[in-house]
Amino acid sequence: MKLASLKQGRDGQLLVVSRDLSRAVKAWDVAPTLQAALDNWAETEPALQRLYRQLNDGHCANSLAFNAEDCASPLPRAYQWADGSAYVNHVELVRKARGADMPASFWTEPLMYQGMSDGFIGPRDDILLADESWGIDFEGEIAIITDDVPMGTTAAQAEPHIKLLMLVNDVSLRNLIPGELGKGFGFFQSKPASAFSPVAITPDELGDAWQDCKVHHRLRVHLNDALFGEPDAGTDMTFNFAELLAHVSFNRALCAGSIIGSGTVSNLDRSTGSCCLAERRMLEMLADGQASTPFMKFGDRVRIEMLNTEGESLFGAIDQRVMRYTAKKEA
């Protein structure tokens, strides 16, 4: 099943979207928003699945053309957004480039930070930032959305709580990160609003590509229409989504609609390219002693998408430009 949120109010209007992303139907009679559907998933999911089958069979008289431009992120805001770093080879590379050793615990326990979740960017909306000198970067990731998760849920118990998956552009301001981490209190200003794919999908939509709580497809990232990277998301993922979920729920319960991210998708095989500028720059530093790839400038465009084996888009594309933010003057 594929779900989206039409831009409307703070929380959007729930849409059921056809498998080929061509048609949609408003699901107001089942649930007004995706959050409302997740709050009562046991009751709403069967009704939404019926709508989905009818839509794919061409039996929805009130369907409309699906346009990702009209969509907010599937959850326009969420109660919780926790982002991990499940591709530890990426973390090791980051630290190696700045001459720092990596603690052995990084291979046995996930890294995680809690990001802002009170307002996400739409998948086709501009990334508005005030200063290019902040080191503007994209990060191509995958995320899950959960139902209610009890405290102490183990990795073995976690998979049934994974209800939906999305793609992520976790925007990072690289030049602000060192100062913040140097304070020993984590990210804040260096992590502005993230964006998610137009569509969230249930794991069964992936077929055999959903194995071991990992997505075994390539994540394709284009920068200014040039392919930047297409690593396989199922390869070199040290911690799967069940393990990430268990880490988050170690000593807290999660409410329905909680989002957990994978961190930047990365392969040890560097020929697959990268899903963020920082990784490319680190490889250049290790090879040449300096980075030659610049961070994003105003007007630059990033596109993040995942295709199935037939070349069809699974989630729709995140497609955004970085543009200058100008504060509105008060009357």
Side-chain angles (χ1 to χ4, degrees), residues 82-318:
D83 198 17
S85 196
Y87 298 85
V88 179
N89 73 85
H90 171 79
V91 181
E92 186 175 41
L93 181 62
V94 173
R95 296 179 69 88
K96 187 176 181 181
R98 66 173 189 256
D101 293 329
M102 191 174 76
S105 63
F106 282 26
W107 291 100
T108 58
E109 186 175 2
L111 295 173
M112 191 74 66
Y113 84 91
Q114 196 161 23
M116 65 168 286
S117 62
D118 55 336
F120 298 122
I121 311 171
R124 302 297 175 88
D125 291 348
D126 292 338
I127 301 166
L128 299 176
L129 294 166
D131 196 332
E132 289 178 345
S133 71
W134 292 342
I136 304 166
D137 199 357
F138 54 83
E139 291 190 60
E141 307 183 9
I142 303 168
I144 60 170
I145 304 177
T146 74
D147 62 1
D148 291 304
V149 182
M151 184 192 304
T153 295
T154 66
Q157 300 166 331
E159 185 170 4
H161 293 289
I162 300 172
K163 298 306 180 186
L164 296 166
L165 296 109
M166 307 181 287
L167 305 183
V168 190
N169 180 15
D170 179 40
V171 181
S172 293
L173 304 178
R174 299 294 184 182
N175 292 339
L176 302 185
I177 288 176
E180 288 205 302
L181 293 186
K183 297 175 182 177
F185 215 57
F187 300 119
F188 194 83
Q189 291 181 336
S190 53
K191 288 288 188 177
S194 298
F196 295 86
S197 51
V199 168
I201 71 174
T202 48
D204 61 286
E205 288 291 322
L206 294 167
D208 292 341
W210 177 248
Q211 294 181 28
D212 303 321
C213 288
K214 300 177 182 180
V215 179
H216 294 268
H217 279 307
R218 293 190 178 277
L219 185 62
R220 296 170 58 88
V221 176
H222 286 79
L223 178 61
N224 295 328
D225 297 322
L227 182 64
F228 193 84
E230 51 178 352
D232 188 287
T235 303
D236 304 318
M237 189 181 190
T238 307
F239 304 103
N240 65 22
F241 281 111
E243 292 167 318
L244 293 176
L245 195 160
H247 181 80
V248 176
S249 63
F250 171 70
N251 59 0
R252 68 180 73 181
L254 307 182
C255 72
S258 293
I259 305 172
I260 301 172
S262 66
T264 306
V265 176
S266 178
N267 286 171
L268 282 166
D269 177 4
R270 302 305 178 190
S271 69
T272 64
S274 299
C275 285
C276 71
L277 290 164
E279 183 171 289
R280 171 78 62 86
R281 287 168 58 87
M282 292 163 204
L283 290 168
E284 292 167 348
M285 289 172 63
L286 292 172
D288 307 322
Q290 62 181 7
S292 55
T293 299
F295 289 120
M296 297 183 80
K297 304 296 184 184
F298 296 136
D300 282 348
R301 176 185 172 200
V302 62
R303 182 180 176 93
I304 300 171
E305 191 171 19
M306 181 174 282
L307 308 180
N308 63 17
T309 53
E310 288 74 40
E312 300 163 332
S313 185
L314 285 162
F315 301 86
I318 299 171

